[in-house]
């Protein structure tokens, strides 16, 4: 990762807001749900719509995503709202389908970043494209594993990269679903100051009431963006119901957060 400046060109290419705001449901559930949320977010600070199509769940028996069908819904949402779209890819087949359906940004989930084999498979599948790839930290607090994933994509010629901090699993009893261990993303930022760093407060928190505080901490630490799970009916979401906020709450939150201006 020598020529680090190129890491952030994608933020400028899309003239994305500062901070970059990615919002949308944990999971795409139905076409109506995706479109309703996209329209509610359309005039907010969120410029990128997120929705998980393939949902890696820690244990089987829960909703595991609508699959490729959801890609069409994202295409329609993009057409109707002008938002960019992003979804999680976890293997070569997902990558091929996401490319076919013109998903703008791909993200690598925390359960994928832990596996160098699968990270390499995805990086190889993207070789020759200029896709933007955001890499979530591995579930465990292991900076070298996270760094290794960036290096694999970079070596495959994928240089439009970004990091998503979603916290780390722990056996300790904490107020968080995933412990933020802020020193790990800060160390990543120190090593690669030009690598855009995005905070996912939803998976750190696991609950709605501390999302705001986590976002403020991230912005105070100079993060470049936020990825916030957003649903019009959070309590009845098919996954991660406790941590999603409504688009209205997101809009209010963005007004209330103290955002450092580029010139500060
Ligand atoms: C998600 O973003 O919905 C998700 C599954 O996240 P993570 O990989 O961080 O657990
Ligand atoms: Mn989720």
């Amino acid at each position: 990762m020598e020529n680090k400046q190129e890491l952030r060109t994608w933020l400028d290419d899309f003239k994305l807001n500062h901070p970059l705001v990615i919002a949308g449901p944990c999971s795409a559930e139905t076409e109506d749900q995706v479109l309703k949320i996209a329209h509610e977010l359309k005039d907010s600070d969120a410029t990128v719509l997120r929705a998980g199509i393939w949902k890696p769940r820690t244990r089987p028996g829960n909703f595991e995503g609508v699959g490729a069908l959801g890609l069409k819904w994202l295409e329609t949402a993009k057409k109707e709202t002008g938002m960019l779209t992003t979804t999680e890819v976890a293997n070569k087949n997902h990558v091929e389908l996401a490319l076919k359906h013109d998903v703008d940004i791909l993200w690598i989930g925390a359960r994928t970043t832990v596996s160098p084999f699968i990270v390499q498979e995805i990086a190889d599948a993207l070789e020759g494209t200029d896709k933007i790839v955001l890499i979530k930290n591995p579930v465990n607090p292991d900076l070298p594993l996270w760094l290794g994933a960036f290096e694999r994509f970079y070596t495959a010629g994928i240089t439009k990269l970004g990091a998503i901090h979603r916290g780390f699993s722990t056996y300790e009893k904490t107020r968080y679903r995933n412990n933020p261990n802020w020193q790990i993303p800060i160390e990543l930022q120190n090593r690669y100051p030009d690598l855009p760093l995005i905070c996912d407060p939803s998976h750190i928190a696991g609950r709605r009431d501390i999302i705001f505080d986590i976002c403020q901490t991230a912005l105070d630490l100079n993060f470049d963006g936020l990825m916030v799970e957003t649903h019009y009916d959070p309590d009845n979401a098919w996954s991660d119901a406790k941590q999603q906020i409504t688009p209205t709450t997101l809009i209010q939150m963005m007004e209330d957060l103290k955002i450092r201006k580029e010139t500060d």
Side-chain angles (χ1 to χ4, degrees), residues 39 42 47-48 76-85 104:
H39 279 278
K42 181 170 167 273
T47 44
V48 182
T76 309
K78 171 155 60 171
K79 244 182 246 142
E80 290 188 7
T81 65
M83 294 178 81
L84 299 177
T85 55
D104 298 291

Side-chain angles (χ1 to χ4, degrees), residues 1-5 7-8 141-151 154 163 182-197:
M1 305 230 297
E2 290 296 315
N3 187 3
K4 300 179 212 103
Q5 269 294 329
L7 294 171
R8 45 186 326 115
D142 187 333
L143 180 61
L145 207 45
W146 201 6
L147 289 172
F150 288 108
E151 288 156 1
Y154 197 84
W182 293 102
Q183 73 277 13
I184 296 177
I186 289 168
E187 195 172 333
L188 180 70
Q189 195 179 44
N190 288 340
R191 286 203 201 195
Y192 296 116
D194 290 310
L195 179 67
L197 187 53

Side-chain angles (χ1 to χ4, degrees), residues 26 50 55-56 88 107 109-111 136 166 203 229 240:
C26 176
R50 65 148 284 154
K55 296 303 300 176
E88 174 173 350
W107 91 72
R111 290 163 194 77
K136 287 196 171 203
R166 50 77 80 199
H203 293 86
E229 286 190 338
D240 287 350

Side-chain angles (χ1 to χ4, degrees), residues 105-171:
I105 299 174
L106 307 180
W107 91 72
I108 308 301
R111 290 163 194 77
T112 302
T113 310
V114 291
S115 167
F117 286 115
I118 197 78
V119 167
Q120 190 63 51
E121 175 187 306
I122 295 170
D124 290 345
L126 282 167
E127 201 162 348
T129 72
D130 69 345
K131 271 291 143 187
I132 302 165
V133 178
L134 306 180
I135 306 178
K136 287 196 171 203
N137 62 263
V139 278
N140 49 325
D142 187 333
L143 180 61
L145 207 45
W146 201 6
L147 289 172
F150 288 108
E151 288 156 1
R152 286 178 195 278
F153 279 95
Y154 197 84
T155 305
I158 307 302
T159 57
K160 294 178 177 174
L161 294 170
I164 303 179
H165 170 43
R166 50 77 80 199
F168 303 90
S169 71
T170 173
Y171 273 126

